[in-house]
Amino acid sequence: MPDTNPLQMKKKIAIFASGNGSNAENLIQYFKNSDFAEVVLVLTNNKNAGVISKATLLNVQVYEFTKNQLYTENDIYDALQFAKIDWIILAGFLLKFPETLLKHYPDKVVNIHPALLPKYGGKGMYGMHIHKAVVENKETETGITIHYVNENYDEGKIIFQAKAEVLNTDTPELIAEKIHILEQKYFPKVIEKLILTNENYPSFGGG
Ligand code: GAR
């Protein structure tokens, strides 16, 4: 008989990404070994994004959409519903996540940001723009923030942060490498823990 107990079924993750896709790739690989969750769909607004080939090689379905579709049509919600998505992860997604979609997934949309929010957040603050600003402002530390998505750029409740030291000899490229290491190390584990604690899996009830 098929197992229909919702507590025993793997939670389904969709990843939104616009670029290279190193975080998406890491999440897909990590959850291939998980009993609790799996990445079943990658969605991108960029037909040239590296994430497309990475996801395809790992046998994850890719859904491409236009900015217009994202903000004015129901296609994306339909695709998420069809794939029975429980959690949405933004991994280098550079468009504003629409409020209409957010309403369907309360507290189930999570973003990673390559800075210690609330510093270096908001529109236009992404990727190398952030690391350049960190160097220009002579910061002594930077890091990553994993947070819930709300209706404002980079302002949702913070779930996790990890720091990296910035040396006065660091270039934006060196900072990008430090951030990449933190993202690869922590992002999948934080998402897994979030899913486990929020979905009340029996064996994890006591924390
Ligand atoms: C990551 O560093 C991610 O934190 C950042 O884009 C990069 C995507 O890399 N996200 C933002 O700047 C969002 N504001 P990837 O495509 O290789 O995962």
Side-chain angles (χ1 to χ4, degrees):
M1 232 173 68
D3 186 357
T4 51
N5 179 350
L7 292 176
Q8 305 300 328
M9 281 164 31
K10 283 193 192 183
K11 294 297 162 187
K12 295 187 191 302
I13 300 171
I15 298 175
F16 281 68
S18 305
N20 177 37
S22 67
N23 280 289
E25 183 179 45
N26 191 31
L27 288 164
I28 293 169
Q29 276 171 332
Y30 184 89
F31 284 104
K32 278 197 186 296
N33 298 315
S34 167
D35 291 332
F36 309 105
E38 59 185 334
V39 178
V40 296
L41 189 62
V42 166
L43 301 100
T44 185
N45 59 303
N46 176 5
K47 62 180 170 31
N48 299 315
V51 72
I52 296 174
S53 56
K54 289 188 172 76
T56 306
L57 273 173
L58 290 164
N59 297 317
V60 174
Q61 196 190 342
V62 177
Y63 183 95
E64 289 178 42
F65 59 87
T66 62
K67 202 170 170 181
N68 189 49
Q69 267 175 303
L70 181 67
Y71 297 121
T72 63
E73 295 173 27
N74 285 327
D75 315 12
I76 295 172
Y77 181 57
D78 291 346
L80 295 169
Q81 285 283 96
F82 186 75
K84 297 189 169 25
I85 297 302
D86 301 294
W87 288 82
I88 296 173
I89 310 298
L90 312 188
F93 184 59
L94 300 184
L95 298 178
K96 192 160 188 296
F97 197 77
E99 278 182 50
T100 43
L101 273 181
L102 210 47
K103 285 199 182 98
H104 290 294
Y105 293 91
D107 293 330
K108 292 286 168 68
V109 186
V110 177
N111 181 44
I112 188 160
H113 188 78
L116 295 171
L117 290 173
K119 281 184 152 187
Y120 301 102
K123 195 167 164 45
M125 272 295 163
Y126 60 89
M128 290 304 282
H129 296 287
I130 295 173
H131 311 322
K132 280 183 187 148
V134 164
V135 169
E136 277 161 20
N137 294 338
K138 302 192 184 339
E139 298 284 357
T140 55
E141 63 178 20
T142 186
I144 60 169
T145 302
I146 297 168
H147 66 95
Y148 288 108
V149 174
N150 70 7
E151 60 284 355
N152 300 319
Y153 266 118
D154 303 324
E155 286 184 15
K157 189 171 167 240
I158 291 174
I159 298 162
F160 175 86
Q161 291 187 307
K163 290 180 181 175
E165 192 184 359
V166 179
L167 307 174
N168 57 17
T169 49
D170 277 354
T171 59
E173 289 73 20
L174 284 172
I175 293 175
E177 278 174 33
K178 291 181 182 181
I179 293 297
H180 178 74
I181 289 167
L182 290 180
E183 291 185 335
Q184 294 286 303
K185 178 173 178 190
Y186 290 112
F187 198 18
K189 286 183 187 150
V190 171
I191 296 300
E192 183 180 51
K193 188 167 174 214
L194 190 68
I195 293 175
L196 287 173
T197 37
N198 278 274
E199 301 287 358
N200 295 318
Y201 282 94
S203 51
F204 285 81

